[in-house]
Short mmCIF file of all heavy atoms in Angstrom, two decimals:
data_model
loop_
_atom_site.label_atom_id
_atom_site.label_comp_id
_atom_site.label_asym_id
_atom_site.label_seq_id
_atom_site.Cartn_x
_atom_site.Cartn_y
_atom_site.Cartn_z
N LEU A 381 -18.96 -4.15 -10.34
CA LEU A 381 -18.61 -5.45 -10.90
C LEU A 381 -19.19 -5.63 -12.35
O LEU A 381 -18.56 -6.39 -13.11
CB LEU A 381 -19.09 -6.58 -10.02
CG LEU A 381 -18.39 -6.52 -8.69
CD1 LEU A 381 -18.99 -7.67 -7.68
CD2 LEU A 381 -16.87 -6.73 -8.68
N ALA A 382 -20.23 -4.89 -12.69
CA ALA A 382 -20.68 -4.91 -14.02
C ALA A 382 -19.75 -4.25 -15.03
O ALA A 382 -19.52 -4.71 -16.17
CB ALA A 382 -22.11 -4.26 -14.20
N VAL A 383 -19.12 -3.16 -14.67
CA VAL A 383 -18.15 -2.53 -15.51
C VAL A 383 -16.81 -3.15 -15.43
O VAL A 383 -16.06 -3.02 -16.41
CB VAL A 383 -18.09 -0.99 -15.33
CG1 VAL A 383 -19.45 -0.36 -15.68
CG2 VAL A 383 -17.59 -0.62 -13.94
N PHE A 384 -16.38 -3.69 -14.30
CA PHE A 384 -15.11 -4.22 -14.21
C PHE A 384 -15.15 -5.42 -13.21
O PHE A 384 -14.83 -5.29 -11.99
CB PHE A 384 -14.06 -3.12 -13.68
CG PHE A 384 -12.62 -3.58 -13.72
CD1 PHE A 384 -12.05 -3.91 -15.02
CD2 PHE A 384 -11.84 -3.65 -12.64
CE1 PHE A 384 -10.77 -4.24 -15.12
CE2 PHE A 384 -10.53 -3.96 -12.71
CZ PHE A 384 -9.93 -4.25 -13.91
N PRO A 385 -15.52 -6.63 -13.71
CA PRO A 385 -15.75 -7.80 -12.80
C PRO A 385 -14.57 -8.20 -11.97
O PRO A 385 -14.78 -8.68 -10.79
CB PRO A 385 -16.08 -8.89 -13.86
CG PRO A 385 -16.62 -8.19 -15.01
CD PRO A 385 -15.93 -6.90 -15.15
N PRO A 386 -13.36 -8.00 -12.33
CA PRO A 386 -12.19 -8.47 -11.43
C PRO A 386 -11.91 -7.55 -10.30
O PRO A 386 -10.86 -7.74 -9.51
CB PRO A 386 -11.02 -8.70 -12.35
CG PRO A 386 -11.28 -7.65 -13.47
CD PRO A 386 -12.76 -7.61 -13.59
N THR A 387 -12.70 -6.49 -10.08
CA THR A 387 -12.37 -5.47 -9.10
C THR A 387 -12.12 -6.10 -7.67
O THR A 387 -12.91 -6.92 -7.24
CB THR A 387 -13.45 -4.44 -8.91
OG1 THR A 387 -13.63 -3.83 -10.22
CG2 THR A 387 -13.07 -3.39 -7.92
N LYS A 388 -11.04 -5.85 -7.07
CA LYS A 388 -10.77 -6.18 -5.72
C LYS A 388 -10.58 -4.95 -4.76
O LYS A 388 -10.79 -5.03 -3.57
CB LYS A 388 -9.54 -7.17 -5.65
CG LYS A 388 -9.85 -8.44 -6.20
CD LYS A 388 -8.70 -9.48 -5.93
CE LYS A 388 -9.18 -10.85 -6.43
NZ LYS A 388 -8.32 -11.35 -7.46
N THR A 389 -9.97 -3.94 -5.40
CA THR A 389 -9.60 -2.68 -4.65
C THR A 389 -10.10 -1.48 -5.32
O THR A 389 -9.97 -1.31 -6.55
CB THR A 389 -8.16 -2.58 -4.34
OG1 THR A 389 -7.78 -3.80 -3.62
CG2 THR A 389 -7.75 -1.36 -3.54
N LEU A 390 -10.67 -0.48 -4.60
CA LEU A 390 -10.98 0.76 -5.16
C LEU A 390 -9.95 1.76 -4.61
O LEU A 390 -9.78 1.93 -3.34
CB LEU A 390 -12.40 1.22 -4.71
CG LEU A 390 -13.58 0.38 -5.25
CD1 LEU A 390 -13.75 -0.92 -4.57
CD2 LEU A 390 -14.79 1.26 -5.24
N ILE A 391 -9.37 2.47 -5.51
CA ILE A 391 -8.46 3.51 -5.18
C ILE A 391 -9.17 4.84 -5.21
O ILE A 391 -9.55 5.25 -6.29
CB ILE A 391 -7.10 3.56 -6.15
CG1 ILE A 391 -6.41 2.17 -6.05
CG2 ILE A 391 -6.19 4.71 -5.75
CD1 ILE A 391 -5.31 2.08 -7.17
N SER A 392 -9.29 5.57 -4.17
CA SER A 392 -10.00 6.77 -4.13
C SER A 392 -8.88 7.90 -3.93
O SER A 392 -7.96 7.77 -3.15
CB SER A 392 -10.91 6.87 -2.93
OG SER A 392 -11.62 8.14 -2.92
N PHE A 393 -9.01 8.95 -4.74
CA PHE A 393 -8.03 10.03 -4.75
C PHE A 393 -8.70 11.40 -4.88
O PHE A 393 -9.87 11.53 -5.35
CB PHE A 393 -6.97 9.82 -5.75
CG PHE A 393 -7.39 9.98 -7.22
CD1 PHE A 393 -7.36 11.18 -7.86
CD2 PHE A 393 -7.83 8.87 -7.92
CE1 PHE A 393 -7.78 11.37 -9.10
CE2 PHE A 393 -8.30 9.03 -9.23
CZ PHE A 393 -8.30 10.33 -9.78
N VAL A 394 -7.97 12.43 -4.29
CA VAL A 394 -8.48 13.79 -4.46
C VAL A 394 -7.44 14.55 -5.23
O VAL A 394 -6.23 14.35 -5.06
CB VAL A 394 -8.82 14.45 -3.16
CG1 VAL A 394 -9.82 13.69 -2.36
CG2 VAL A 394 -7.56 14.62 -2.26
N CYS A 395 -7.91 15.53 -6.00
CA CYS A 395 -7.06 16.54 -6.66
C CYS A 395 -7.59 17.95 -6.24
O CYS A 395 -8.80 18.14 -6.31
CB CYS A 395 -7.19 16.46 -8.16
SG CYS A 395 -6.42 14.85 -8.78
N CYS A 396 -6.67 18.75 -5.75
CA CYS A 396 -7.04 20.10 -5.24
C CYS A 396 -7.29 21.10 -6.29
O CYS A 396 -6.67 21.12 -7.37
CB CYS A 396 -5.92 20.60 -4.28
SG CYS A 396 -5.77 19.63 -2.89
N MET A 397 -8.22 22.01 -5.97
CA MET A 397 -8.47 23.11 -6.83
C MET A 397 -7.78 24.33 -6.28
O MET A 397 -7.41 24.37 -5.14
CB MET A 397 -10.07 23.40 -6.94
CG MET A 397 -10.75 22.45 -7.75
SD MET A 397 -12.50 22.95 -7.90
CE MET A 397 -13.30 21.85 -6.80
N ASN A 398 -7.65 25.36 -7.11
CA ASN A 398 -7.11 26.69 -6.57
C ASN A 398 -8.23 27.45 -5.91
O ASN A 398 -9.24 27.70 -6.57
CB ASN A 398 -6.51 27.50 -7.81
CG ASN A 398 -5.40 26.80 -8.42
OD1 ASN A 398 -4.45 26.42 -7.69
ND2 ASN A 398 -5.31 26.71 -9.68
N ARG A 399 -8.11 27.56 -4.55
CA ARG A 399 -9.27 28.17 -3.76
C ARG A 399 -9.80 29.42 -4.30
O ARG A 399 -11.01 29.62 -4.41
CB ARG A 399 -8.83 28.21 -2.36
CG ARG A 399 -8.71 26.93 -1.63
CD ARG A 399 -8.08 27.20 -0.26
NE ARG A 399 -7.81 25.95 0.44
CZ ARG A 399 -8.50 25.43 1.48
NH1 ARG A 399 -9.41 26.19 2.03
NH2 ARG A 399 -8.17 24.29 1.99
N GLU A 400 -8.90 30.39 -4.56
CA GLU A 400 -9.44 31.69 -4.86
C GLU A 400 -10.15 31.74 -6.21
O GLU A 400 -11.11 32.49 -6.39
CB GLU A 400 -8.23 32.71 -4.79
CG GLU A 400 -7.55 32.92 -3.43
CD GLU A 400 -8.63 33.09 -2.38
OE1 GLU A 400 -9.69 33.87 -2.60
OE2 GLU A 400 -8.50 32.55 -1.24
N ASN A 401 -9.70 30.84 -7.05
CA ASN A 401 -10.40 30.71 -8.43
C ASN A 401 -11.80 30.21 -8.27
O ASN A 401 -12.77 30.63 -9.00
CB ASN A 401 -9.68 29.74 -9.41
CG ASN A 401 -8.38 30.38 -9.85
OD1 ASN A 401 -7.92 31.39 -9.36
ND2 ASN A 401 -7.82 29.76 -10.79
N VAL A 402 -12.06 29.44 -7.12
CA VAL A 402 -13.39 28.90 -6.94
C VAL A 402 -14.19 29.90 -6.17
O VAL A 402 -15.45 30.06 -6.37
CB VAL A 402 -13.35 27.50 -6.24
CG1 VAL A 402 -14.73 27.11 -5.78
CG2 VAL A 402 -12.61 26.46 -7.03
N ARG A 403 -13.57 30.71 -5.27
CA ARG A 403 -14.28 31.65 -4.50
C ARG A 403 -14.63 32.93 -5.16
O ARG A 403 -15.59 33.66 -4.67
CB ARG A 403 -13.41 32.05 -3.27
CG ARG A 403 -13.27 30.99 -2.17
CD ARG A 403 -12.28 31.47 -1.19
NE ARG A 403 -12.21 30.57 -0.03
CZ ARG A 403 -11.15 30.30 0.76
NH1 ARG A 403 -10.11 31.08 0.53
NH2 ARG A 403 -11.24 29.46 1.69
N THR A 404 -14.09 33.17 -6.30
CA THR A 404 -14.31 34.46 -6.98
C THR A 404 -15.85 34.51 -7.51
O THR A 404 -16.44 33.52 -7.85
CB THR A 404 -13.43 34.71 -8.15
OG1 THR A 404 -13.75 35.93 -8.78
CG2 THR A 404 -13.65 33.59 -9.24
N PRO A 405 -16.42 35.78 -7.49
CA PRO A 405 -17.75 35.84 -8.01
C PRO A 405 -17.78 35.79 -9.56
O PRO A 405 -18.89 35.67 -10.10
CB PRO A 405 -18.24 37.24 -7.49
CG PRO A 405 -16.99 37.98 -7.08
CD PRO A 405 -15.90 36.93 -6.77
N ALA A 406 -16.62 35.84 -10.13
CA ALA A 406 -16.59 35.75 -11.59
C ALA A 406 -16.79 34.38 -12.11
O ALA A 406 -15.89 33.54 -11.90
CB ALA A 406 -15.21 36.35 -12.13
N ARG A 407 -17.95 34.06 -12.59
CA ARG A 407 -18.31 32.67 -12.95
C ARG A 407 -17.36 32.05 -13.96
O ARG A 407 -17.06 30.84 -13.88
CB ARG A 407 -19.73 32.66 -13.41
CG ARG A 407 -20.32 31.24 -13.65
CD ARG A 407 -21.76 31.27 -13.81
NE ARG A 407 -22.11 29.76 -14.11
CZ ARG A 407 -23.37 29.39 -14.26
NH1 ARG A 407 -24.27 30.35 -14.29
NH2 ARG A 407 -23.67 28.15 -14.54
N SER A 408 -16.89 32.84 -14.86
CA SER A 408 -15.93 32.26 -15.88
C SER A 408 -14.69 31.64 -15.31
O SER A 408 -14.22 30.71 -15.67
CB SER A 408 -15.60 33.37 -16.93
OG SER A 408 -14.93 34.34 -16.41
N ILE A 409 -14.24 32.37 -14.25
CA ILE A 409 -12.99 31.96 -13.63
C ILE A 409 -13.27 30.63 -12.81
O ILE A 409 -12.41 29.63 -12.89
CB ILE A 409 -12.37 33.03 -12.68
CG1 ILE A 409 -11.98 34.27 -13.57
CG2 ILE A 409 -11.20 32.48 -11.92
CD1 ILE A 409 -11.60 35.45 -12.75
N ALA A 410 -14.24 30.69 -11.97
CA ALA A 410 -14.64 29.49 -11.23
C ALA A 410 -14.94 28.29 -12.12
O ALA A 410 -14.49 27.17 -11.87
CB ALA A 410 -15.84 29.80 -10.30
N ASN A 411 -15.73 28.52 -13.27
CA ASN A 411 -16.06 27.44 -14.10
C ASN A 411 -14.81 26.81 -14.65
O ASN A 411 -14.73 25.55 -14.87
CB ASN A 411 -17.03 28.07 -15.17
CG ASN A 411 -17.69 26.86 -16.00
OD1 ASN A 411 -18.21 26.00 -15.40
ND2 ASN A 411 -17.62 27.05 -17.26
N LEU A 412 -13.90 27.65 -15.18
CA LEU A 412 -12.58 27.22 -15.70
C LEU A 412 -11.92 26.35 -14.72
O LEU A 412 -11.34 25.23 -15.06
CB LEU A 412 -11.71 28.36 -16.17
CG LEU A 412 -10.44 27.95 -16.75
CD1 LEU A 412 -10.51 27.11 -18.04
CD2 LEU A 412 -9.59 29.23 -16.99
N GLU A 413 -11.80 26.72 -13.44
CA GLU A 413 -11.15 25.97 -12.45
C GLU A 413 -11.75 24.62 -12.24
O GLU A 413 -10.99 23.63 -12.17
CB GLU A 413 -11.18 26.74 -11.17
CG GLU A 413 -10.35 26.12 -10.03
CD GLU A 413 -8.81 25.92 -10.28
OE1 GLU A 413 -8.31 26.75 -11.21
OE2 GLU A 413 -8.19 25.01 -9.86
N PHE A 414 -13.18 24.56 -12.20
CA PHE A 414 -13.76 23.27 -12.09
C PHE A 414 -13.43 22.33 -13.23
O PHE A 414 -13.07 21.19 -13.05
CB PHE A 414 -15.29 23.43 -11.90
CG PHE A 414 -15.75 23.74 -10.54
CD1 PHE A 414 -15.98 24.98 -10.09
CD2 PHE A 414 -15.93 22.66 -9.61
CE1 PHE A 414 -16.41 25.25 -8.84
CE2 PHE A 414 -16.31 22.95 -8.30
CZ PHE A 414 -16.66 24.27 -7.92
N HIS A 415 -13.63 22.92 -14.46
CA HIS A 415 -13.32 22.07 -15.71
C HIS A 415 -11.85 21.56 -15.69
O HIS A 415 -11.56 20.40 -15.95
CB HIS A 415 -13.83 22.78 -16.90
CG HIS A 415 -15.24 22.84 -17.12
ND1 HIS A 415 -15.96 21.70 -17.65
CD2 HIS A 415 -16.14 23.74 -16.83
CE1 HIS A 415 -17.24 22.06 -17.71
NE2 HIS A 415 -17.48 23.26 -17.19
N ALA A 416 -10.99 22.45 -15.38
CA ALA A 416 -9.52 22.15 -15.47
C ALA A 416 -9.20 21.06 -14.36
O ALA A 416 -8.45 20.16 -14.73
CB ALA A 416 -8.66 23.41 -15.24
N ASN A 417 -9.79 21.19 -13.28
CA ASN A 417 -9.44 20.22 -12.12
C ASN A 417 -10.10 18.82 -12.55
O ASN A 417 -9.51 17.78 -12.24
CB ASN A 417 -9.90 20.64 -10.84
CG ASN A 417 -9.21 19.92 -9.69
OD1 ASN A 417 -7.99 19.64 -9.79
ND2 ASN A 417 -9.85 19.61 -8.64
N TYR A 418 -11.36 18.88 -13.06
CA TYR A 418 -11.88 17.57 -13.54
C TYR A 418 -11.01 16.88 -14.59
O TYR A 418 -10.79 15.68 -14.51
CB TYR A 418 -13.42 17.75 -13.95
CG TYR A 418 -14.40 18.08 -12.98
CD1 TYR A 418 -15.34 19.01 -13.23
CD2 TYR A 418 -14.29 17.42 -11.76
CE1 TYR A 418 -16.34 19.36 -12.20
CE2 TYR A 418 -15.28 17.80 -10.79
CZ TYR A 418 -16.22 18.68 -11.03
OH TYR A 418 -17.17 19.00 -10.07
N ASP A 419 -10.58 17.69 -15.48
CA ASP A 419 -9.68 17.18 -16.55
C ASP A 419 -8.42 16.60 -16.00
O ASP A 419 -7.90 15.53 -16.33
CB ASP A 419 -9.43 18.27 -17.63
CG ASP A 419 -10.57 18.59 -18.44
OD1 ASP A 419 -11.54 17.83 -18.53
OD2 ASP A 419 -10.48 19.64 -19.08
N HIS A 420 -7.83 17.43 -14.96
CA HIS A 420 -6.57 16.88 -14.29
C HIS A 420 -6.83 15.54 -13.62
O HIS A 420 -6.08 14.71 -13.67
CB HIS A 420 -6.07 17.98 -13.35
CG HIS A 420 -4.96 17.50 -12.48
ND1 HIS A 420 -3.82 17.18 -12.98
CD2 HIS A 420 -4.96 17.25 -11.13
CE1 HIS A 420 -3.01 16.77 -11.95
NE2 HIS A 420 -3.71 16.80 -10.83
N ALA A 421 -7.95 15.46 -12.84
CA ALA A 421 -8.29 14.28 -12.07
C ALA A 421 -8.47 13.07 -13.08
O ALA A 421 -7.98 12.01 -12.78
CB ALA A 421 -9.49 14.51 -11.22
N ASP A 422 -9.13 13.27 -14.23
CA ASP A 422 -9.29 12.26 -15.13
C ASP A 422 -7.89 11.78 -15.73
O ASP A 422 -7.69 10.59 -16.03
CB ASP A 422 -10.22 12.61 -16.36
CG ASP A 422 -11.64 12.56 -16.10
OD1 ASP A 422 -12.05 11.57 -15.32
OD2 ASP A 422 -12.45 13.32 -16.49
N GLU A 423 -7.06 12.74 -15.90
CA GLU A 423 -5.70 12.48 -16.40
C GLU A 423 -4.90 11.77 -15.43
O GLU A 423 -4.14 10.75 -15.78
CB GLU A 423 -4.97 13.79 -16.84
CG GLU A 423 -3.68 13.50 -17.73
CD GLU A 423 -3.95 12.84 -18.99
OE1 GLU A 423 -5.04 12.98 -19.55
OE2 GLU A 423 -3.09 12.14 -19.54
N VAL A 424 -5.04 12.06 -14.10
CA VAL A 424 -4.39 11.27 -13.03
C VAL A 424 -4.87 9.77 -13.13
O VAL A 424 -4.10 8.88 -13.11
CB VAL A 424 -4.71 11.88 -11.67
CG1 VAL A 424 -4.26 10.93 -10.59
CG2 VAL A 424 -4.00 13.27 -11.54
#
Side-chain angles (χ1 to χ4, degrees):
L381 296 175
V383 295
F384 193 60
T387 302
K388 290 192 173 116
T389 300
L390 290 79
I391 300 171
S392 181
F393 66 91
V394 299
C395 293
C396 295
M397 288 188 254
N398 294 312
R399 289 177 185 245
E400 298 310 321
N401 287 13
V402 175
R403 288 177 171 155
T404 182
R407 187 169 177 178
S408 62
I409 297 170
N411 193 49
L412 177 63
E413 184 63 26
F414 275 99
H415 284 279
N417 200 39
Y418 288 140
D419 290 345
H420 170 65
D422 276 325
E423 192 63 27
V424 167

